[in-house]
Amino acid sequence: MSDLHNLSVKALATLLHTKEVSAVEVATRFLARMGGNPHNAFLDIDSEVTLAQAHASDAKLAGGTAGPLEGVPVAHKDVFVTRDFATTAGSKILRGYRSPFDATVVQRLRTAGMVTLGKLNCDEFAMGSANENSAYGPVQNPWDTARVPGGSSGGSAAAVAAGLAPAATGTDTGGSIRQPASFCGITGIKPTYGRASRYGMIAYASSLDQAGPMARTAEDCALMLSAMCGGDIDRDSTSLDMPTEDFAAALNNSLEGLRIGIPKEFFGEGLSGDVRAAVDSALREYEKLGAKLVPISLPRTELSIPVYYIIAPAEASSNLSRFDGVKFGHRAKDYTDLVDMYKKTRAEGFGNEVKRRIMTGAYVLSHGYYDAYYLQAQKIRRMIADDFQNAFKACDVIAGPVAPSVAWKFGDNANDPVADYLADIFTLPASLAGLPGMSVPAGFGAGNMPVGLQLIGNYFKEAQLLGAAHRLQQATDFHLRKPEGH
Amino acid sequence: MSKLVQGYEVVIGFETHAQLSTTSKIFSRAPTAFGAQANTQACAVDMALPGTLPVMNIGAVERAIEFGLAINAHIAERSIFARKNYFYPDLPKGYQISQFEIPVVQGGEVSFFLEVGKETVRKTVRLERAHLEEDAGKSLHEDFIGQSGIDLNRAGTPLLEIVTQPDMRSSEEAVAYAKELHKIVTWIGICDGNMQEGSFRCDANVSVRKPGGPLGTRREIKNLNSFKFMQQAIDYEVRWQIDQIEDGHAIEQATVLFNPDSGETRAMRTKEDAADYRYFPDPDLPPLVIGRDWVERVRGEMAELPRVMAERFVSDYGLPEYDATQLTQSKAVAAYFEASAQACGQAKLASNWIMGEVSRRLNASELSIDQSPVSAAQLAVLIGRISDNTISNNAARQVFEGLWNQEGEVDAIIDAKGLKQMNDMGELEKIIDEVLAANPKNVEEFKAGNAKALNGLVGPIMKASKGKANPGQVNALLMKKLG
Amino acid sequence: MFGPENTATYNCLQTMSLTPQDIARIANLARLELQPEESERMLTQINGFFGIVQAMQAVDTTGITPMAHPVAAIQDITLRLRPDVASEPDQRDLNQQSAPAVERGLFLVPKVIE
């Protein structure tokens, strides 16, 4: 089969279960495509490990003990720690780090049968929205290698878009799954905060970080999300003790009468015309499918930028203190004493954006500023969450753009971090509220770059979101388009 | 009126770190046992390896509740874990998970007796709070040229930090408080109290002021790990502060360490920026909620507290205050007393024996009461044999000796040693008649009014009875026959 | 939270831009060695960011409880407690496999002076 790499997770799973292809065959094909590390998407590859897992999967398929996704390859964002691959979180401070354990999400997907292709490039400690902050070089957007893939899960999005992996894991703190999915024309979902275990996910902002799948179709995301989610009561106090759910069960439910809320704040002058046009056409598709568009308001949308950029750096400044050159990772060569060792180690090991956020976070938490910044932000955060609950009285799901523009060219926002921050405006509100959100390919904009439609659901309504996305993908083919040469 | 030192009033507050006696760490499932090979009891969570997260141990919470109940404090229905951020090699995460704004135990008090001159006075120290937190690892400075070795086995051991109001006014009060607190935590079993191993560590905040004046600047003496050093350290610190002030120097806030060898305190190299810990609620840990039902359940399962038990000993067993307090110094002693007192029905006698012979022998051979070769049951039987006149008090001591040396049960020993008092009147009269017949001279003298002559008769009678005759009976019979 | 500081806090909000001294203080707190030019860039960029933070200060949040766990917006989220069981095996070698300096199982660091 020549187009194995163009098949969906669902299609591959079927071929594997019917023994039309072997896990080793599939893995070999993707390993071959990964050769030369196209787009700098991967940070660690080990074909021996991958093929060993594939062999094990073939044995299970033969023995009838196969998991639902047995033998289907997946690649993991490098913030998930892994036993068999190095884990760096895109940072120099963790170069070559080996974890003694697998992240819960990694282990759950392996239990479901998925074979690991390797570790994917990302912004350092998931801080960024262009993947320009990786210590191991930027990732190219397969649709236009002069453009960014989005971030922080840029390697994940690029790998799937370029057919280097049928699916990938990502993490979303302020939009890090949805925005790169949108920029690279694939599908990605961030579940409700607490659905997926954070154990083994290197922490950026603890109260916001969530893991989620990135793949071509909503159906593939549903299959993977079902395997990824579930309480981790022994390891993660923030994971919700909820039974696992089959998110693919209701994919084909009719959208007749579905109320889609359209927040006016998502369609202001900040939104570029090409993106708006693609989003509008997708919304018209929904009307054709029987959904009703309802105007709503999320009045504190703009506030979500300062609120997020206070809370996330504050938590990050504390989460990153463990990187001190004592127990693991990089340690400076020359230093005069202990304090000097700390300062040089961290100065050498962290990149600019990470340092900036550590500094901002330490400042807003420091003596006398806590109430004015962190506490105030956490209060407005609740108001933002309440705004959503208010909006969901009038609608079932909320729809809008993922980002104000399509993927920009490398260096466009260089030296102006605030410009990057502002571009997160449409993904931050759902992150702060802990709501499930996804990006669905909705068309193409400037430079023929992909545009994603953002769907936001109420807590625990992932199935409804995925259903709405799936129905759109039945009616459109944007998710099936591929960059030239792939 | 608190006593003054060179015209200064001493003000002392305590912060005590009590390691809680759980099997696993507070936020990880690694064991807490002391003295293992370096870093073999520090799991990925304790080492703060990337991706690890804390999960709270219910055993630590339960112990905090027990402590709160023991000191009549308020148990917070909702308390918050916060991060205390600072860099130190024995602090793997770069922050300590502790409680800041809302601690689990709020208020409460500790009362104790202490000797002031001749009299015993009751002193009460108010507690401000007690909160749950994780212990740090250890830095070892020996034989690593120019470097320190870090052992994280202790990292993550649950601690209860117990903070008092500045209510103590002398080193004696401070030590008495520390001893009472130590008794409480070991009595309710939330801490093993081993000070050498650091299970019970005290920091004393000491300042001095002119009576009625504003509080002076305090210096904190860290890690006082014995009651003896505690007193020495505080006394030295008080004198030092007064000398400074008298010499016109101002006291600067500082953390000091006590050096047992020199008997002096010296200021620690202050961690720069130690003042700015950037506390904030730990986003990895939702609020700790403790329902009333849980508190009541713990209350129901809790052991009776020493103070309460002592009062009961007075009311139920009619013991004097003194005995009651002595017998409630430890749970084991109290249990031993109750067992023997109930078995023999002679509480005061049991008390005398325990505070007397029993503790004497235990101290002599450095045994704790639960190691005593003489069981409470055996002591009870022994006391029974005294009160039913089977043996005399002197004989009882010999029996106790026998019991101590595991020579058998009470009655067996009495027979073996032939210690039974002669209560057979017939035989005793026979002996007496013989002795009277054999000593007509004494009889004459006695009848002539010389009372002393009686001794000349009693002696031979006791001798003839091989000491088994009951002296009381002997006297009574003699009087009858000579009367 | 830090009762007495609150007033100080709100005074400093009028002039919210950071000074080079703030940058130096925070860099020391965060244990980051910054080159002079780095500090300058940091100062400009962080102040640029605090420009957009101003908006947040205007919001009246009296009576609002801060949100810790996001899902607390719809249901009370409380701490889950695990049984007191020691079940972690000794994995010292595995746990220390990426340590910069270890001797006899101890992590080595420049001398800690107390």
Side-chain angles (χ1 to χ4, degrees):
Chain A
M1 241 165 293
S2 63
D3 66 342
L4 272 181
H5 65 274
N6 285 332
L7 297 180
S8 68
V9 168
K10 175 72 181 307
L12 284 168
T14 314
L15 288 178
L16 283 154
H17 275 84
T18 54
K19 315 270 195 321
E20 286 164 73
V21 290
S22 73
V24 170
E25 231 177 301
V26 177
T28 312
R29 165 67 56 82
F30 281 100
L31 287 170
R33 289 186 60 81
M34 287 154 55
N37 197 15
H39 310 301
N40 196 29
F42 279 85
L43 291 182
D44 194 25
I45 296 173
D46 184 334
S47 53
E48 274 184 31
V49 171
T50 303
L51 291 172
Q53 290 187 8
H55 277 293
S57 286
D58 280 330
K60 286 194 176 148
L61 286 157
T65 59
L69 302 176
E70 199 68 58
V72 180
V74 66
H76 295 297
K77 184 179 184 179
D78 206 31
V79 295
F80 293 98
V81 298
T82 44
R83 255 207 213 87
D84 302 329
F85 297 87
T87 304
T88 70
S91 180
K92 181 184 171 197
I93 209 162
L94 274 182
R95 183 186 292 275
Y97 174 72
R98 286 276 166 171
S99 170
F101 63 96
D102 280 331
T104 300
V105 161
V106 168
Q107 169 247 312
R108 288 186 74 108
L109 286 175
R110 182 71 195 115
T111 308
M114 294 195 105
V115 171
T116 313
L117 291 172
K119 303 298 287 294
L120 294 162
N121 203 344
C122 58
D123 282 303
E124 184 176 8
F125 289 105
M127 298 180 192
S129 36
N131 216 120
E132 287 171 299
N133 301 334
S134 167
Y136 305 98
V139 175
Q140 299 169 330
N141 189 316
W143 292 87
D144 175 353
T145 55
R147 292 176 186 262
V148 303
S152 64
S153 313
S156 308
V160 174
L164 306 177
T169 54
T171 63
D172 191 313
T173 304
S176 287
I177 286 175
R178 290 159 288 164
Q179 186 253 22
S182 169
F183 280 16
C184 292
I186 65 166
T187 308
I189 181 168
K190 169 194 106 71
T192 306
Y193 180 90
R195 273 275 203 186
S197 171
R198 289 173 43 236
Y199 190 73
M201 234 173 79
I202 297 179
Y204 157 26
S206 311
S207 73
L208 292 148
D209 298 340
Q210 261 301 287
M214 300 171 78
R216 288 215 185 75
T217 69
E219 185 175 35
D220 287 357
C221 287
L223 294 170
M224 281 177 70
L225 192 63
S226 307
M228 290 168 75
C229 291
D232 191 4
I233 59 174
D234 290 344
R235 294 290 187 190
D236 175 3
S237 304
T238 62
S239 91
L240 300 164
D241 190 4
M242 299 181 84
T244 50
E245 189 174 327
D246 178 3
F247 295 108
L251 285 178
N252 290 303
N253 288 3
S254 154
L255 301 186
E256 200 56 53
L258 180 79
R259 299 169 303 162
I260 302 180
I262 310 298
K264 61 172 189 288
E265 294 79 4
F266 280 40
F267 294 82
E269 64 273 19
L271 181 61
S272 65
D274 56 331
V275 173
R276 181 179 191 127
V279 168
D280 285 341
S281 66
L283 293 175
R284 277 195 297 282
E285 280 300 331
Y286 272 116
E287 289 184 300
K288 288 190 204 143
L289 291 165
K292 282 201 309 292
L293 305 187
V294 197
I296 60 161
S297 171
L298 297 171
R300 294 174 183 84
T301 299
E302 273 190 20
L303 277 173
S304 64
I305 297 170
V307 167
Y308 174 87
Y309 280 99
I310 292 287
I311 293 171
E315 294 179 0
S317 69
S318 176
N319 285 334
L320 269 51
S321 295
R322 68 187 57 195
F323 301 96
D324 59 2
V326 174
K327 297 135 313 212
F328 44 77
H330 175 76
R331 176 186 289 193
K333 294 262 168 303
D334 311 303
Y335 43 80
T336 57
D337 61 10
L338 179 66
V339 173
D340 193 47
M341 187 276 276
Y342 283 146
K343 292 183 173 180
K344 287 197 163 65
T345 295
R346 291 163 60 81
E348 294 170 8
F350 292 136
N352 289 335
E353 184 59 26
V354 172
K355 289 178 188 171
R356 200 147 45 226
R357 295 196 194 188
I358 289 176
M359 291 285 291
T360 310
Y363 177 71
V364 299
L365 289 177
S366 67
H367 203 50
Y369 298 97
Y370 176 87
D371 294 50
Y373 296 131
Y374 188 80
L375 196 60
Q376 174 77 345
Q378 286 288 35
K379 289 176 177 174
I380 301 175
R381 182 181 186 177
R382 183 177 289 273
M383 295 166 110
I384 290 169
D386 293 344
D387 289 342
F388 274 106
Q389 289 315 298
N390 209 22
F392 280 120
K393 289 181 188 137
C395 62
D396 307 304
V397 301
I398 293 170
V402 172
S405 72
V406 296
W408 55 84
K409 291 207 159 62
F410 283 107
D412 275 6
N413 291 352
N415 307 322
D416 183 6
V418 177
D420 275 3
Y421 298 177
L422 296 174
D424 296 340
I425 183 165
F426 301 137
T427 48
L428 296 180
S431 293
L432 288 167
L435 293 166
M438 68 185 297
S439 176
V440 194
F444 294 85
N448 197 34
M449 293 303 290
V451 172
L453 171 77
Q454 178 173 213
L455 295 174
I456 299 167
N458 208 340
Y459 299 104
F460 314 123
K461 297 286 192 189
E462 291 84 357
Q464 186 180 41
L465 276 190
L466 288 158
H470 179 69
R471 296 304 294 255
L472 182 71
Q473 295 185 336
Q474 300 302 294
T476 62
D477 71 343
F478 302 119
H479 60 294
L480 299 178
R481 310 263 187 95
K482 294 182 180 59
E484 270 175 46
H486 298 285
Chain B
M1 183 55 217
S2 56
K3 78 165 200 200
L4 301 182
V5 184
Q6 297 170 241
Y8 286 83
E9 183 185 38
V10 178
V11 177
I12 303 167
F14 257 63
E15 285 170 24
T16 305
H17 289 87
Q19 279 184 355
L20 298 176
S21 56
T22 54
T23 18
S24 62
K25 303 253 175 106
I26 184 169
F27 297 120
S28 87
R29 293 177 294 177
T32 52
F34 178 83
Q37 281 269 315
N39 288 310
T40 54
Q41 296 194 353
C43 67
V45 176
D46 306 319
M47 286 189 187
L49 298 192
T52 54
L53 295 167
V55 178
M56 181 77 200
N57 179 346
I58 192 171
V61 180
E62 229 144 28
R63 285 164 177 77
I65 297 173
E66 287 175 33
F67 178 74
L69 292 173
I71 57 157
N72 305 318
H74 169 66
I75 312 292
E77 296 232 9
R78 203 177 181 84
S79 60
I80 304 293
F81 285 97
R83 292 184 182 181
K84 180 181 185 180
N85 295 282
Y86 65 95
F87 286 86
Y88 213 62
D90 64 12
L91 190 69
K93 294 187 294 297
Y95 59 84
Q96 177 195 33
I97 303 178
S98 181
Q99 295 191 302
F100 184 60
E101 269 191 295
I102 310 172
V104 59
V105 174
Q106 303 169 3
E109 59 180 42
V110 170
S111 303
F112 47 90
F113 292 96
L114 75 164
E115 309 296 324
V116 175
K118 295 265 167 298
E119 84 220 87
T120 313
V121 298
R122 184 194 180 92
K123 167 83 184 178
T124 295
V125 171
R126 293 164 302 152
L127 295 196
E128 184 185 313
R129 61 188 281 162
H131 65 258
L132 284 163
E133 63 182 26
E134 57 183 342
D135 206 342
K138 281 181 182 165
S139 309
L140 309 170
H141 309 301
E142 305 77 34
D143 51 296
F144 302 101
I145 322 87
Q147 299 182 92
S148 297
I150 305 299
D151 176 8
L152 298 177
N153 280 349
R154 197 181 68 177
T157 301
L159 292 177
L160 193 64
E161 180 174 343
I162 303 155
V163 184
T164 73
Q165 307 268 10
D167 282 358
M168 287 151 277
R169 294 290 175 270
S170 68
S171 58
E172 292 77 12
E173 285 186 11
V175 172
Y177 159 78
K179 284 184 173 165
E180 183 65 22
L181 183 67
H182 185 270
K183 178 167 132 192
I184 292 171
V185 295
T186 50
W187 181 283
I188 62 177
I190 63 168
C191 172
D192 69 18
N194 187 323
M195 295 175 87
Q196 289 67 37
E197 293 177 5
S199 307
F200 187 85
R201 316 194 288 267
C202 294
D203 305 340
N205 286 304
V206 180
S207 67
V208 299
R209 66 171 169 192
K210 288 288 184 187
L215 279 177
T217 309
R218 59 188 172 80
R219 305 214 312 163
E220 180 180 27
I221 315 174
K222 277 239 170 270
N223 292 334
L224 294 166
N225 60 0
S226 97
F227 295 120
K228 181 158 141 271
F229 296 159
M230 201 174 285
Q231 177 125 24
Q232 293 175 4
I234 295 171
D235 288 338
Y236 175 88
E237 179 64 20
V238 167
R239 280 195 306 277
W240 185 88
Q241 289 189 20
I242 292 174
D243 293 349
Q244 289 291 305
I245 296 170
E246 290 293 319
D247 297 352
H249 306 301
I251 303 295
E252 281 172 18
Q253 188 155 356
T255 304
V256 305
L257 287 175
F258 177 66
N259 177 344
D261 308 327
S262 65
E264 298 177 350
T265 57
R266 86 178 148 76
M268 279 173 74
R269 181 162 168 278
T270 50
K271 286 191 218 115
E272 1 158 16
D273 64 57
D276 201 340
Y277 289 126
R278 287 154 290 144
Y279 282 100
F280 74 105
D282 191 332
D284 290 330
L285 296 162
L288 168 63
V289 169
I290 300 172
R292 288 299 109 187
D293 50 336
W294 188 7
V295 175
E296 288 320 308
R297 196 166 65 247
V298 173
R299 195 195 299 276
E301 293 160 359
M302 251 177 88
E304 184 180 29
L305 296 167
R307 213 179 326 106
V308 181
M309 190 181 268
E311 284 158 16
R312 184 166 57 81
F313 284 5
V314 173
S315 58
D316 292 13
Y317 298 103
L319 291 185
E321 270 297 342
Y322 179 81
D323 293 40
T325 330
Q326 289 303 307
L327 292 170
T328 49
Q329 281 311 306
S330 95
K331 239 189 189 152
V333 172
Y336 190 98
F337 162 75
E338 286 217 86
S340 47
Q342 278 162 9
C344 69
Q346 310 257 358
K348 182 53 180 156
L349 274 180
S351 169
N352 295 347
W353 272 88
I354 292 166
M355 297 193 298
E357 199 64 17
V358 177
S359 50
R360 211 177 2 261
R361 290 306 298 263
L362 289 175
N363 296 340
S365 42
E366 288 171 344
L367 292 175
S368 73
I369 191 139
D370 30 55
Q371 299 167 301
S372 169
V374 181
S375 73
Q378 290 173 314
L379 180 65
V381 177
L382 178 58
I383 291 168
R385 287 293 171 267
I386 301 167
S387 42
D388 70 8
N389 285 319
T390 307
I391 52 174
S392 64
N393 278 312
N394 288 337
R397 277 193 193 74
Q398 299 175 54
V399 177
F400 185 86
E401 180 69 28
L403 290 170
W404 187 273
N405 300 326
Q406 310 286 299
E407 290 165 15
E409 287 309 317
V410 175
D411 292 333
I413 296 172
I414 293 175
D415 293 342
K417 294 195 177 202
L419 298 172
K420 203 188 246 94
Q421 295 188 120
M422 180 187 295
N423 296 324
D424 170 342
M425 289 303 194
E427 195 179 337
L428 183 55
E429 282 193 62
K430 195 159 145 291
I431 290 176
I432 292 176
D433 293 341
E434 286 169 12
V435 171
L436 291 180
N439 300 279
K441 193 156 170 298
N442 296 63
V443 177
E444 286 311 311
E445 287 177 7
F446 179 77
K447 288 188 168 163
N450 175 359
K452 285 213 184 62
L454 200 61
N455 303 346
L457 297 168
V458 174
I461 293 171
M462 294 307 287
K463 192 152 173 290
S465 76
K466 302 192 190 63
K468 296 184 203 168
N470 180 327
Q473 291 174 0
V474 172
N475 274 320
L477 278 171
L478 273 176
M479 289 308 180
K480 203 167 103 234
K481 292 178 180 293
L482 302 171
Chain C
M1 186 163 180
F2 301 98
E5 284 81 46
N6 292 3
T7 47
T9 303
Y10 292 112
N11 298 340
C12 77
L13 291 184
Q14 275 60 19
T15 58
M16 202 163 35
S17 65
L18 282 73
T19 65
Q21 291 68 30
D22 291 322
I23 296 292
R25 179 174 60 89
I26 302 303
N28 180 55
L29 266 184
R31 294 290 186 265
L32 285 172
E33 182 180 74
L34 298 182
Q35 301 311 318
E37 67 278 10
E38 235 180 329
S39 303
E40 280 171 39
R41 197 178 348 117
M42 195 80 73
L43 180 62
T44 329
Q45 288 168 335
I46 294 182
N47 277 332
F49 163 65
F50 274 101
I52 59 176
V53 172
Q54 299 276 19
M56 205 183 77
Q57 306 300 334
V59 182
D60 175 9
T61 54
T62 40
I64 306 281
T65 21
M67 181 156 86
H69 191 296
V71 177
I74 52 161
Q75 66 193 56
D76 193 24
I77 303 288
T78 65
L79 186 59
R80 201 162 34 223
L81 303 170
R82 66 172 173 85
D84 178 22
V85 178
S87 54
E88 289 288 353
D90 166 21
Q91 293 199 330
R92 184 175 77 180
D93 298 347
L94 210 51
N95 291 340
Q96 294 186 324
Q97 67 190 339
S98 300
V102 171
E103 195 177 311
R104 281 178 279 144
L106 295 159
F107 296 102
L108 291 191
V109 298
K111 195 145 199 74
V112 179
I113 305 128
E114 280 180 340

